[in-house]
Amino acid sequence: ATSAAASDDSCAYILSAYARSICSLLRTADVTSSSQRWKAVLPSSNKTSPGSSETGKEETNRLDLSIEQGKLRVLWLFKTYSQARNAEGIASILKEIPRDGEFADILCDGFVKLKAIDRGFFARSNSLQRRDLVYMPFQFGLLEASNPPEYISVAAFIFQEVVRDLSLSTIYGDSEAGAGIDLK
C-alpha cells in the first residue's frame, strides 16, 4: 500500500512540475524569443526546420497555435486532477496561470472544476488562499460585458470567496448592499 501511495505522490509531483512549466511558458508567450522555448515542448510537426524562413506573421500564427496547445495541456491537467478529485492540484495550477484575459477560459475551467470537487476549499487551503484571488476577476477580464456567462459566474464565485475572509471583507468597498446574498 505504501508503494502505491509513493507512486501517487510521484505522479502528483510530476504533474505539478509539468503544470508549472506550461504556465511559465504561457506567461512568456508574448515575447518573441520565447517561441523557441514553446517549440521545445510542441510535437515535432509544429517545429520549423533549421534554415527555414518564417515571416513575422507566420511566427505569430505559430505562437498563437502554441498558446492554444499550452492551454489544451493545462485543460488536460485540470481534467486529470478533477478525475482524481485533487483540489490542491487544480489550485496550484490556478495560481500559476498568467494574469491576462487571453487565459480567462482556462482559469474559468479550473475554478468550475475546483468548485465541483470542494466548494469549501478556500476555507482551509494554504496553496491558493482568498487573498490570492482578490484581483483575479480584473486581471483576467472576467467582467467584460461581451464575455460568456460562465466568466461572470466565476467572477461572482471569486468575489464571494474573497469577502468570506473577514480581513478582506471590505477589499472591494465598504458596503452592506450585498450582505447575505449567496451568489451561486
Short mmCIF file of all heavy atoms in Angstrom, two decimals, residues 54-117:
data_model
loop_
_atom_site.label_atom_id
_atom_site.label_comp_id
_atom_site.label_asym_id
_atom_site.label_seq_id
_atom_site.Cartn_x
_atom_site.Cartn_y
_atom_site.Cartn_z
N GLU A 54 10.71 31.98 -41.80
CA GLU A 54 9.33 32.29 -41.44
C GLU A 54 9.16 33.79 -41.43
O GLU A 54 10.02 34.52 -40.95
CB GLU A 54 9.04 31.78 -40.01
CG GLU A 54 8.58 30.38 -39.94
CD GLU A 54 8.10 30.05 -38.54
OE1 GLU A 54 8.30 30.84 -37.61
OE2 GLU A 54 7.50 28.99 -38.39
N THR A 55 8.04 34.24 -41.93
CA THR A 55 7.75 35.66 -41.84
C THR A 55 7.26 35.95 -40.44
O THR A 55 6.91 35.04 -39.69
CB THR A 55 6.66 36.06 -42.85
OG1 THR A 55 5.45 35.41 -42.48
CG2 THR A 55 7.06 35.73 -44.27
N GLY A 56 7.22 37.20 -40.05
CA GLY A 56 6.72 37.57 -38.73
C GLY A 56 5.30 37.11 -38.51
O GLY A 56 4.94 36.68 -37.42
N LYS A 57 4.47 37.18 -39.56
CA LYS A 57 3.07 36.76 -39.43
C LYS A 57 2.99 35.26 -39.18
O LYS A 57 2.22 34.81 -38.34
CB LYS A 57 2.29 37.14 -40.68
CG LYS A 57 0.82 36.84 -40.58
CD LYS A 57 0.07 37.30 -41.79
CE LYS A 57 -1.42 37.02 -41.65
NZ LYS A 57 -2.17 37.42 -42.81
N GLU A 58 3.80 34.47 -39.90
CA GLU A 58 3.78 33.03 -39.69
C GLU A 58 4.25 32.69 -38.28
O GLU A 58 3.70 31.82 -37.63
CB GLU A 58 4.67 32.33 -40.72
CG GLU A 58 4.10 32.36 -42.12
CD GLU A 58 5.11 31.90 -43.16
OE1 GLU A 58 6.33 31.96 -42.89
OE2 GLU A 58 4.67 31.51 -44.25
N GLU A 59 5.27 33.41 -37.80
CA GLU A 59 5.77 33.18 -36.44
C GLU A 59 4.68 33.50 -35.42
O GLU A 59 4.48 32.76 -34.47
CB GLU A 59 7.01 34.04 -36.19
CG GLU A 59 7.61 33.87 -34.82
CD GLU A 59 8.24 32.52 -34.58
OE1 GLU A 59 8.55 31.80 -35.54
OE2 GLU A 59 8.42 32.16 -33.41
N THR A 60 3.96 34.60 -35.63
CA THR A 60 2.87 34.96 -34.73
C THR A 60 1.78 33.90 -34.75
O THR A 60 1.27 33.51 -33.70
CB THR A 60 2.29 36.34 -35.12
OG1 THR A 60 3.33 37.30 -35.04
CG2 THR A 60 1.15 36.73 -34.21
N ASN A 61 1.43 33.41 -35.94
CA ASN A 61 0.42 32.37 -36.04
C ASN A 61 0.86 31.10 -35.32
O ASN A 61 0.08 30.45 -34.65
CB ASN A 61 0.10 32.05 -37.50
CG ASN A 61 -0.67 33.16 -38.17
OD1 ASN A 61 -1.27 34.00 -37.50
ND2 ASN A 61 -0.63 33.20 -39.48
N ARG A 62 2.14 30.77 -35.45
CA ARG A 62 2.67 29.58 -34.75
C ARG A 62 2.61 29.79 -33.25
O ARG A 62 2.29 28.88 -32.50
CB ARG A 62 4.10 29.32 -35.17
CG ARG A 62 4.26 28.75 -36.52
CD ARG A 62 5.73 28.76 -36.84
NE ARG A 62 6.47 27.94 -35.92
CZ ARG A 62 6.61 26.64 -36.05
NH1 ARG A 62 6.03 26.04 -37.05
NH2 ARG A 62 7.31 25.96 -35.19
N LEU A 63 2.95 30.99 -32.80
CA LEU A 63 2.94 31.27 -31.38
C LEU A 63 1.51 31.19 -30.84
O LEU A 63 1.28 30.65 -29.77
CB LEU A 63 3.56 32.63 -31.10
CG LEU A 63 3.95 32.93 -29.67
CD1 LEU A 63 4.82 31.82 -29.10
CD2 LEU A 63 4.71 34.24 -29.60
N ASP A 64 0.54 31.71 -31.62
CA ASP A 64 -0.87 31.60 -31.21
C ASP A 64 -1.26 30.14 -31.09
O ASP A 64 -1.95 29.75 -30.15
CB ASP A 64 -1.78 32.31 -32.22
CG ASP A 64 -1.66 33.82 -32.15
OD1 ASP A 64 -1.12 34.32 -31.14
OD2 ASP A 64 -2.10 34.49 -33.09
N LEU A 65 -0.83 29.32 -32.07
CA LEU A 65 -1.12 27.90 -32.04
C LEU A 65 -0.45 27.27 -30.82
O LEU A 65 -1.04 26.45 -30.12
CB LEU A 65 -0.63 27.22 -33.32
CG LEU A 65 -0.84 25.71 -33.42
CD1 LEU A 65 -2.33 25.38 -33.35
CD2 LEU A 65 -0.23 25.18 -34.70
N SER A 66 0.77 27.70 -30.52
CA SER A 66 1.48 27.17 -29.36
C SER A 66 0.76 27.52 -28.07
O SER A 66 0.68 26.69 -27.16
CB SER A 66 2.90 27.75 -29.31
OG SER A 66 3.61 27.40 -30.46
N ILE A 67 0.25 28.73 -27.98
CA ILE A 67 -0.51 29.12 -26.79
C ILE A 67 -1.74 28.24 -26.66
O ILE A 67 -2.06 27.76 -25.57
CB ILE A 67 -0.88 30.62 -26.85
CG1 ILE A 67 0.38 31.47 -26.68
CG2 ILE A 67 -1.91 30.97 -25.78
CD1 ILE A 67 0.18 32.94 -26.94
N GLU A 68 -2.43 28.01 -27.76
CA GLU A 68 -3.61 27.15 -27.72
C GLU A 68 -3.24 25.74 -27.28
O GLU A 68 -3.96 25.11 -26.51
CB GLU A 68 -4.33 27.12 -29.07
CG GLU A 68 -5.08 28.40 -29.38
CD GLU A 68 -6.06 28.80 -28.28
OE1 GLU A 68 -6.84 27.95 -27.81
OE2 GLU A 68 -6.02 29.98 -27.87
N GLN A 69 -2.11 25.23 -27.76
CA GLN A 69 -1.69 23.89 -27.34
C GLN A 69 -1.33 23.87 -25.86
O GLN A 69 -1.63 22.92 -25.16
CB GLN A 69 -0.52 23.41 -28.20
CG GLN A 69 -0.96 23.09 -29.61
CD GLN A 69 0.19 22.69 -30.50
OE1 GLN A 69 1.34 23.03 -30.26
NE2 GLN A 69 -0.13 21.96 -31.55
N GLY A 70 -0.69 24.92 -25.39
CA GLY A 70 -0.38 25.02 -23.97
C GLY A 70 -1.65 25.05 -23.14
O GLY A 70 -1.74 24.40 -22.09
N LYS A 71 -2.64 25.79 -23.61
CA LYS A 71 -3.92 25.86 -22.90
C LYS A 71 -4.60 24.48 -22.87
O LYS A 71 -5.15 24.07 -21.85
CB LYS A 71 -4.84 26.88 -23.57
CG LYS A 71 -4.39 28.32 -23.33
CD LYS A 71 -5.06 29.27 -24.28
CE LYS A 71 -6.23 29.94 -23.69
NZ LYS A 71 -6.83 30.96 -24.57
N LEU A 72 -4.51 23.76 -23.99
CA LEU A 72 -5.10 22.41 -24.03
C LEU A 72 -4.41 21.49 -23.03
O LEU A 72 -5.06 20.66 -22.39
CB LEU A 72 -5.00 21.82 -25.43
CG LEU A 72 -5.95 22.43 -26.46
CD1 LEU A 72 -5.65 21.88 -27.85
CD2 LEU A 72 -7.40 22.16 -26.09
N ARG A 73 -3.12 21.66 -22.87
CA ARG A 73 -2.39 20.84 -21.90
C ARG A 73 -2.81 21.18 -20.47
O ARG A 73 -2.94 20.30 -19.64
CB ARG A 73 -0.89 21.01 -22.10
CG ARG A 73 -0.44 20.38 -23.40
CD ARG A 73 1.00 20.64 -23.71
NE ARG A 73 1.30 20.07 -25.03
CZ ARG A 73 2.51 19.86 -25.46
NH1 ARG A 73 3.55 20.18 -24.72
NH2 ARG A 73 2.70 19.35 -26.65
N VAL A 74 -3.01 22.45 -20.20
CA VAL A 74 -3.48 22.85 -18.87
C VAL A 74 -4.89 22.31 -18.64
O VAL A 74 -5.19 21.79 -17.56
CB VAL A 74 -3.45 24.39 -18.70
CG1 VAL A 74 -4.15 24.81 -17.42
CG2 VAL A 74 -2.01 24.89 -18.71
N LEU A 75 -5.76 22.38 -19.65
CA LEU A 75 -7.11 21.83 -19.51
C LEU A 75 -7.06 20.33 -19.25
O LEU A 75 -7.85 19.79 -18.46
CB LEU A 75 -7.94 22.14 -20.76
CG LEU A 75 -8.28 23.61 -20.97
CD1 LEU A 75 -8.94 23.82 -22.34
CD2 LEU A 75 -9.17 24.14 -19.85
N TRP A 76 -6.13 19.64 -19.91
CA TRP A 76 -5.96 18.20 -19.68
C TRP A 76 -5.55 17.95 -18.22
O TRP A 76 -6.05 17.04 -17.58
CB TRP A 76 -4.92 17.63 -20.63
CG TRP A 76 -4.61 16.19 -20.34
CD1 TRP A 76 -5.33 15.09 -20.70
CD2 TRP A 76 -3.49 15.71 -19.58
NE1 TRP A 76 -4.74 13.95 -20.21
CE2 TRP A 76 -3.60 14.30 -19.53
CE3 TRP A 76 -2.42 16.33 -18.95
CZ2 TRP A 76 -2.67 13.51 -18.86
CZ3 TRP A 76 -1.50 15.53 -18.29
CH2 TRP A 76 -1.63 14.15 -18.25
N LEU A 77 -4.64 18.79 -17.71
CA LEU A 77 -4.23 18.65 -16.31
C LEU A 77 -5.42 18.89 -15.36
O LEU A 77 -5.58 18.16 -14.37
CB LEU A 77 -3.10 19.62 -15.98
CG LEU A 77 -1.74 19.24 -16.56
CD1 LEU A 77 -0.76 20.39 -16.43
CD2 LEU A 77 -1.20 17.98 -15.90
N PHE A 78 -6.24 19.89 -15.66
CA PHE A 78 -7.43 20.13 -14.84
C PHE A 78 -8.32 18.88 -14.84
O PHE A 78 -8.84 18.48 -13.81
CB PHE A 78 -8.22 21.33 -15.35
CG PHE A 78 -7.64 22.66 -14.99
CD1 PHE A 78 -7.86 23.75 -15.82
CD2 PHE A 78 -6.91 22.86 -13.82
CE1 PHE A 78 -7.35 25.00 -15.50
CE2 PHE A 78 -6.41 24.11 -13.49
CZ PHE A 78 -6.62 25.17 -14.33
N LYS A 79 -8.51 18.30 -16.01
CA LYS A 79 -9.36 17.11 -16.13
C LYS A 79 -8.77 15.95 -15.32
O LYS A 79 -9.49 15.25 -14.60
CB LYS A 79 -9.52 16.71 -17.59
CG LYS A 79 -10.40 15.51 -17.81
CD LYS A 79 -10.54 15.19 -19.28
CE LYS A 79 -11.39 13.94 -19.47
NZ LYS A 79 -11.46 13.56 -20.88
N THR A 80 -7.46 15.78 -15.43
CA THR A 80 -6.78 14.71 -14.70
C THR A 80 -6.93 14.90 -13.20
O THR A 80 -7.28 13.97 -12.47
CB THR A 80 -5.29 14.67 -15.09
OG1 THR A 80 -5.19 14.47 -16.49
CG2 THR A 80 -4.55 13.57 -14.35
N TYR A 81 -6.67 16.11 -12.72
CA TYR A 81 -6.82 16.39 -11.29
C TYR A 81 -8.27 16.28 -10.85
O TYR A 81 -8.57 15.82 -9.75
CB TYR A 81 -6.29 17.78 -10.95
CG TYR A 81 -4.78 17.86 -10.83
CD1 TYR A 81 -4.08 18.93 -11.36
CD2 TYR A 81 -4.05 16.88 -10.17
CE1 TYR A 81 -2.70 19.02 -11.23
CE2 TYR A 81 -2.67 16.96 -10.04
CZ TYR A 81 -2.00 18.04 -10.57
OH TYR A 81 -0.65 18.13 -10.43
N SER A 82 -9.19 16.70 -11.70
CA SER A 82 -10.60 16.63 -11.36
C SER A 82 -11.05 15.18 -11.20
O SER A 82 -11.77 14.85 -10.25
CB SER A 82 -11.42 17.33 -12.44
OG SER A 82 -12.79 17.27 -12.15
N GLN A 83 -10.62 14.32 -12.12
CA GLN A 83 -10.98 12.90 -12.02
C GLN A 83 -10.40 12.26 -10.77
O GLN A 83 -11.01 11.38 -10.18
CB GLN A 83 -10.51 12.16 -13.27
CG GLN A 83 -11.29 12.52 -14.50
CD GLN A 83 -10.70 11.96 -15.78
OE1 GLN A 83 -9.53 11.58 -15.85
NE2 GLN A 83 -11.52 11.91 -16.82
N ALA A 84 -9.23 12.75 -10.34
CA ALA A 84 -8.61 12.23 -9.12
C ALA A 84 -9.13 12.95 -7.87
O ALA A 84 -8.70 12.64 -6.76
CB ALA A 84 -7.09 12.38 -9.22
N ARG A 85 -10.01 13.91 -8.08
CA ARG A 85 -10.57 14.74 -7.00
C ARG A 85 -9.47 15.43 -6.20
O ARG A 85 -9.49 15.50 -4.98
CB ARG A 85 -11.51 13.92 -6.12
CG ARG A 85 -12.60 13.24 -6.93
CD ARG A 85 -13.85 12.88 -6.23
NE ARG A 85 -14.49 13.83 -5.37
CZ ARG A 85 -15.27 14.86 -5.77
NH1 ARG A 85 -15.46 15.07 -7.04
NH2 ARG A 85 -15.84 15.64 -4.90
N ASN A 86 -8.49 15.96 -6.93
CA ASN A 86 -7.33 16.60 -6.34
C ASN A 86 -7.48 18.12 -6.46
O ASN A 86 -6.99 18.75 -7.40
CB ASN A 86 -6.06 16.12 -7.05
CG ASN A 86 -4.80 16.69 -6.45
OD1 ASN A 86 -4.81 17.67 -5.71
ND2 ASN A 86 -3.68 16.07 -6.77
N ALA A 87 -8.16 18.70 -5.48
CA ALA A 87 -8.40 20.15 -5.49
C ALA A 87 -7.10 20.93 -5.34
O ALA A 87 -6.93 21.99 -5.96
CB ALA A 87 -9.37 20.52 -4.36
N GLU A 88 -6.16 20.43 -4.55
CA GLU A 88 -4.87 21.11 -4.38
C GLU A 88 -4.12 21.21 -5.70
O GLU A 88 -3.47 22.22 -5.98
CB GLU A 88 -4.01 20.40 -3.33
CG GLU A 88 -4.47 20.60 -1.91
CD GLU A 88 -4.26 22.02 -1.40
OE1 GLU A 88 -3.40 22.76 -1.91
OE2 GLU A 88 -5.00 22.40 -0.46
N GLY A 89 -4.18 20.16 -6.50
CA GLY A 89 -3.51 20.17 -7.81
C GLY A 89 -4.09 21.24 -8.71
O GLY A 89 -3.35 21.98 -9.37
N ILE A 90 -5.41 21.34 -8.75
CA ILE A 90 -6.07 22.36 -9.56
C ILE A 90 -5.70 23.75 -9.06
O ILE A 90 -5.37 24.64 -9.83
CB ILE A 90 -7.60 22.15 -9.57
CG1 ILE A 90 -7.96 20.87 -10.32
CG2 ILE A 90 -8.31 23.36 -10.19
CD1 ILE A 90 -9.41 20.46 -10.23
N ALA A 91 -5.71 23.92 -7.73
CA ALA A 91 -5.38 25.22 -7.15
C ALA A 91 -3.95 25.63 -7.48
O ALA A 91 -3.69 26.81 -7.75
CB ALA A 91 -5.59 25.18 -5.64
N SER A 92 -3.03 24.67 -7.46
CA SER A 92 -1.64 25.01 -7.76
C SER A 92 -1.48 25.51 -9.19
O SER A 92 -0.67 26.39 -9.46
CB SER A 92 -0.72 23.82 -7.49
OG SER A 92 -0.95 22.78 -8.41
N ILE A 93 -2.28 24.97 -10.10
CA ILE A 93 -2.24 25.45 -11.49
C ILE A 93 -2.90 26.82 -11.59
O ILE A 93 -2.38 27.71 -12.26
CB ILE A 93 -2.94 24.45 -12.44
CG1 ILE A 93 -2.21 23.11 -12.42
CG2 ILE A 93 -2.99 25.01 -13.86
CD1 ILE A 93 -2.94 22.00 -13.16
N LEU A 94 -4.04 26.99 -10.93
CA LEU A 94 -4.73 28.29 -10.98
C LEU A 94 -3.82 29.42 -10.53
O LEU A 94 -3.85 30.52 -11.08
CB LEU A 94 -5.99 28.26 -10.09
CG LEU A 94 -7.16 27.44 -10.62
CD1 LEU A 94 -8.24 27.32 -9.56
CD2 LEU A 94 -7.71 28.04 -11.89
N LYS A 95 -3.00 29.14 -9.56
CA LYS A 95 -2.08 30.16 -9.03
C LYS A 95 -1.00 30.53 -10.05
O LYS A 95 -0.49 31.64 -10.03
CB LYS A 95 -1.44 29.65 -7.74
CG LYS A 95 -0.78 30.72 -6.93
CD LYS A 95 -0.41 30.20 -5.56
CE LYS A 95 0.13 31.32 -4.71
NZ LYS A 95 0.36 30.88 -3.34
N GLU A 96 -0.68 29.63 -10.96
CA GLU A 96 0.40 29.83 -11.92
C GLU A 96 -0.05 30.42 -13.26
O GLU A 96 0.78 30.87 -14.04
CB GLU A 96 1.12 28.50 -12.18
CG GLU A 96 1.79 27.91 -10.97
CD GLU A 96 2.93 28.77 -10.45
OE1 GLU A 96 3.63 29.40 -11.27
OE2 GLU A 96 3.12 28.81 -9.23
N ILE A 97 -1.34 30.39 -13.56
CA ILE A 97 -1.82 30.85 -14.87
C ILE A 97 -1.47 32.33 -15.04
O ILE A 97 -1.70 33.14 -14.14
CB ILE A 97 -3.34 30.64 -15.01
CG1 ILE A 97 -3.66 29.14 -14.99
CG2 ILE A 97 -3.86 31.27 -16.31
CD1 ILE A 97 -5.14 28.84 -14.96
N PRO A 98 -0.92 32.70 -16.19
CA PRO A 98 -0.59 34.12 -16.43
C PRO A 98 -1.80 35.01 -16.28
O PRO A 98 -2.90 34.68 -16.72
CB PRO A 98 -0.10 34.13 -17.88
CG PRO A 98 0.28 32.73 -18.18
CD PRO A 98 -0.59 31.86 -17.34
N ARG A 99 -1.61 36.14 -15.65
CA ARG A 99 -2.70 37.08 -15.38
C ARG A 99 -2.99 37.92 -16.61
O ARG A 99 -2.49 39.02 -16.78
CB ARG A 99 -2.34 38.00 -14.21
CG ARG A 99 -2.00 37.31 -12.91
CD ARG A 99 -3.14 36.43 -12.46
NE ARG A 99 -3.03 36.02 -11.08
CZ ARG A 99 -2.76 34.78 -10.70
NH1 ARG A 99 -2.54 33.85 -11.59
NH2 ARG A 99 -2.73 34.46 -9.42
N ASP A 100 -3.81 37.37 -17.50
CA ASP A 100 -4.14 38.03 -18.75
C ASP A 100 -5.47 37.49 -19.25
O ASP A 100 -5.76 36.30 -19.08
CB ASP A 100 -3.03 37.75 -19.78
CG ASP A 100 -3.22 38.56 -21.05
OD1 ASP A 100 -3.95 38.07 -21.94
OD2 ASP A 100 -2.66 39.65 -21.14
N GLY A 101 -6.27 38.35 -19.87
CA GLY A 101 -7.58 37.95 -20.37
C GLY A 101 -7.53 36.81 -21.38
O GLY A 101 -8.51 36.07 -21.53
N GLU A 102 -6.41 36.64 -22.05
CA GLU A 102 -6.28 35.57 -23.03
C GLU A 102 -6.41 34.19 -22.37
O GLU A 102 -6.74 33.21 -23.03
CB GLU A 102 -4.94 35.66 -23.75
CG GLU A 102 -4.76 34.62 -24.81
CD GLU A 102 -3.54 34.85 -25.67
OE1 GLU A 102 -2.74 35.76 -25.38
OE2 GLU A 102 -3.39 34.10 -26.66
N PHE A 103 -6.18 34.13 -21.07
CA PHE A 103 -6.20 32.86 -20.36
C PHE A 103 -7.42 32.72 -19.45
O PHE A 103 -7.48 31.82 -18.61
CB PHE A 103 -4.90 32.69 -19.57
CG PHE A 103 -3.69 32.83 -20.45
CD1 PHE A 103 -2.92 33.97 -20.41
CD2 PHE A 103 -3.36 31.83 -21.34
CE1 PHE A 103 -1.82 34.12 -21.24
CE2 PHE A 103 -2.27 31.97 -22.18
CZ PHE A 103 -1.49 33.12 -22.13
N ALA A 104 -8.41 33.58 -19.64
CA ALA A 104 -9.63 33.55 -18.82
C ALA A 104 -10.36 32.22 -18.99
O ALA A 104 -10.95 31.70 -18.03
CB ALA A 104 -10.55 34.71 -19.18
N ASP A 105 -10.33 31.66 -20.19
CA ASP A 105 -11.05 30.40 -20.43
C ASP A 105 -10.50 29.27 -19.58
O ASP A 105 -11.27 28.51 -18.97
CB ASP A 105 -11.03 30.04 -21.91
CG ASP A 105 -9.63 29.99 -22.53
OD1 ASP A 105 -8.68 30.55 -21.94
OD2 ASP A 105 -9.49 29.40 -23.62
N ILE A 106 -9.17 29.16 -19.47
CA ILE A 106 -8.63 28.07 -18.67
C ILE A 106 -8.79 28.36 -17.18
O ILE A 106 -9.00 27.44 -16.39
CB ILE A 106 -7.18 27.71 -19.04
CG1 ILE A 106 -6.23 28.89 -18.90
CG2 ILE A 106 -7.11 27.12 -20.43
CD1 ILE A 106 -4.77 28.54 -19.15
N LEU A 107 -8.72 29.62 -16.80
CA LEU A 107 -8.97 29.98 -15.40
C LEU A 107 -10.39 29.56 -15.01
O LEU A 107 -10.59 28.92 -13.97
CB LEU A 107 -8.81 31.48 -15.18
CG LEU A 107 -9.11 31.93 -13.75
CD1 LEU A 107 -7.86 31.84 -12.89
CD2 LEU A 107 -9.69 33.32 -13.72
N CYS A 108 -11.36 29.89 -15.83
CA CYS A 108 -12.76 29.55 -15.54
C CYS A 108 -12.96 28.04 -15.46
O CYS A 108 -13.63 27.54 -14.55
CB CYS A 108 -13.69 30.17 -16.57
SG CYS A 108 -13.82 31.96 -16.41
N ASP A 109 -12.35 27.31 -16.37
CA ASP A 109 -12.46 25.86 -16.35
C ASP A 109 -11.92 25.31 -15.04
O ASP A 109 -12.54 24.44 -14.41
CB ASP A 109 -11.73 25.24 -17.54
CG ASP A 109 -11.94 23.75 -17.63
OD1 ASP A 109 -13.04 23.33 -18.06
OD2 ASP A 109 -11.02 22.99 -17.24
N GLY A 110 -10.77 25.83 -14.63
CA GLY A 110 -10.18 25.37 -13.37
C GLY A 110 -11.05 25.67 -12.16
O GLY A 110 -11.23 24.82 -11.29
N PHE A 111 -11.61 26.88 -12.11
CA PHE A 111 -12.47 27.24 -10.98
C PHE A 111 -13.74 26.41 -10.96
O PHE A 111 -14.21 26.00 -9.89
CB PHE A 111 -12.79 28.73 -10.97
CG PHE A 111 -11.83 29.54 -10.17
CD1 PHE A 111 -10.87 30.31 -10.79
CD2 PHE A 111 -11.86 29.52 -8.78
CE1 PHE A 111 -9.96 31.04 -10.05
CE2 PHE A 111 -10.96 30.25 -8.03
CZ PHE A 111 -10.01 31.02 -8.67
N VAL A 112 -14.31 26.14 -12.12
CA VAL A 112 -15.53 25.32 -12.17
C VAL A 112 -15.23 23.92 -11.64
O VAL A 112 -16.00 23.37 -10.84
CB VAL A 112 -16.10 25.28 -13.61
CG1 VAL A 112 -17.15 24.19 -13.77
CG2 VAL A 112 -16.67 26.64 -13.99
N LYS A 113 -14.10 23.36 -12.05
CA LYS A 113 -13.72 22.02 -11.58
C LYS A 113 -13.39 22.02 -10.09
O LYS A 113 -13.78 21.10 -9.36
CB LYS A 113 -12.57 21.47 -12.41
CG LYS A 113 -13.01 21.02 -13.80
CD LYS A 113 -11.87 20.47 -14.60
CE LYS A 113 -12.29 19.81 -15.90
NZ LYS A 113 -13.21 20.54 -16.73
N LEU A 114 -12.70 23.04 -9.63
CA LEU A 114 -12.36 23.14 -8.21
C LEU A 114 -13.62 23.24 -7.36
O LEU A 114 -13.75 22.56 -6.34
CB LEU A 114 -11.46 24.36 -7.97
CG LEU A 114 -11.01 24.59 -6.53
CD1 LEU A 114 -10.12 23.46 -6.06
CD2 LEU A 114 -10.28 25.92 -6.42
N LYS A 115 -14.56 24.07 -7.81
CA LYS A 115 -15.82 24.25 -7.07
C LYS A 115 -16.61 22.94 -7.04
O LYS A 115 -17.22 22.61 -6.03
CB LYS A 115 -16.63 25.37 -7.72
CG LYS A 115 -17.83 25.80 -6.91
CD LYS A 115 -18.42 27.11 -7.41
CE LYS A 115 -19.16 26.98 -8.70
NZ LYS A 115 -19.97 28.16 -9.02
N ALA A 116 -16.57 22.17 -8.13
CA ALA A 116 -17.31 20.90 -8.18
C ALA A 116 -16.70 19.86 -7.24
O ALA A 116 -17.43 19.05 -6.66
CB ALA A 116 -17.31 20.37 -9.62
N ILE A 117 -15.40 19.91 -7.06
CA ILE A 117 -14.73 18.95 -6.18
C ILE A 117 -14.91 19.32 -4.72
O ILE A 117 -15.22 18.47 -3.89
CB ILE A 117 -13.21 18.90 -6.50
CG1 ILE A 117 -12.98 18.30 -7.87
CG2 ILE A 117 -12.46 18.09 -5.44
CD1 ILE A 117 -11.53 18.40 -8.32
#
